[in-house]
Amino acid sequence: MPRIPLTPPRTLLVRLVLAPHLGEGARPGARVRHHARVLRTYVGLERRAARWNALDAGVKHLAVMAAAARINCSWCVDFGYWEGRERGLDAEKIERVPRWREARELFTEVELLAMEYAEAMTETEPTVTDALAAELLGRLGEAAFVELTAVVALENWRSRVNSAFGLTGQGFSDACRPPAGR
């Protein structure tokens, strides 16, 4: 059960930033609409982040989903499955992200490294090693490595906010759920 009302005041700002393709009931959008400055900052950040393009979009998506699954944000994993399918990504890979170690053969070496990095960044306290960072830097280059780090940090923000607000999946997919106990 959400811990904050999902029916914020219908101000002009709120109406302008509703996600029409998701409908007004998209819960994460409703979470920050109660605070205009947080809403403006969040929308601006998301719009700018959507234009980052140094990192392969598929690798980026898998890393974001791995962070969401590690935090156990069922809404984020549920939405991530839908979003990945909408972008034409491999459905089997997307479905297996929460348990990627059990399906290593599906993923490229860079995808595996990116998901490992996303999980290591997401730990409290982060467990990123020099070796893992150096391997990714060598394979991706500096700009893509910085982008990977930033999108995983952004997903940590999203997933932790969603989890703290008590948000759960909305039925975007029943095929991809975080592993129990995570």
Side-chain angles (χ1 to χ4, degrees):
M1 180 66 138
R3 295 180 181 119
I4 187 168
L6 298 176
T7 53
R10 299 227 3 116
T11 64
L12 176 61
L13 177 63
V14 167
R15 289 193 305 274
L16 289 173
V17 299
L18 288 175
H21 64 290
L22 299 177
E24 290 189 37
R27 293 177 187 151
R31 70 183 182 233
V32 294
R33 291 183 199 142
H34 294 275
H35 191 296
R37 286 184 177 167
V38 171
L39 176 62
R40 279 192 300 272
T41 301
Y42 174 70
V43 168
L45 175 60
E46 287 288 358
R47 286 183 177 160
R48 286 173 183 86
R51 292 191 299 258
W52 298 340
N53 63 2
L55 179 63
D56 175 81
V59 172
K60 184 185 310 188
H61 190 79
L62 295 173
V64 164
M65 283 194 66
R70 186 69 190 107
I71 291 170
N72 200 17
C73 178
S74 65
W75 194 96
C76 297
V77 174
D78 184 36
F79 180 75
Y81 176 79
W82 173 83
E83 184 179 40
R85 295 291 302 264
E86 288 290 305
R87 292 180 177 181
L89 301 177
D90 183 312
E92 188 174 10
K93 283 184 178 183
I94 297 166
E95 290 172 10
R96 298 302 297 265
V97 169
R99 295 171 192 82
W100 62 268
R101 285 181 176 81
E102 298 168 12
R104 296 180 72 83
E105 68 282 353
L106 293 176
F107 302 99
T108 68
E109 192 63 32
V110 170
E111 290 168 342
L112 291 168
L113 288 166
M115 289 185 291
E116 180 181 354
Y117 184 75
E119 286 187 354
M121 257 188 81
T122 301
E123 291 296 326
T124 304
E125 140 184 355
T127 59
V128 175
T129 64
D130 290 342
L132 178 57
E135 180 76 21
L136 278 163
L137 252 169
R139 289 177 183 262
L140 298 175
E142 291 176 353
F145 179 73
V146 169
E147 187 170 321
L148 173 63
T149 302
V151 297
V152 170
L154 180 56
E155 183 55 35
N156 267 264
W157 187 85
R158 291 180 197 123
S159 292
R160 291 177 189 278
V161 167
N162 289 345
S163 293
F165 284 164
L167 303 181
T168 58
Q170 276 186 256
F172 288 103
S173 166
D174 289 328
C176 190
R177 295 277 184 242
R182 282 227 161 173

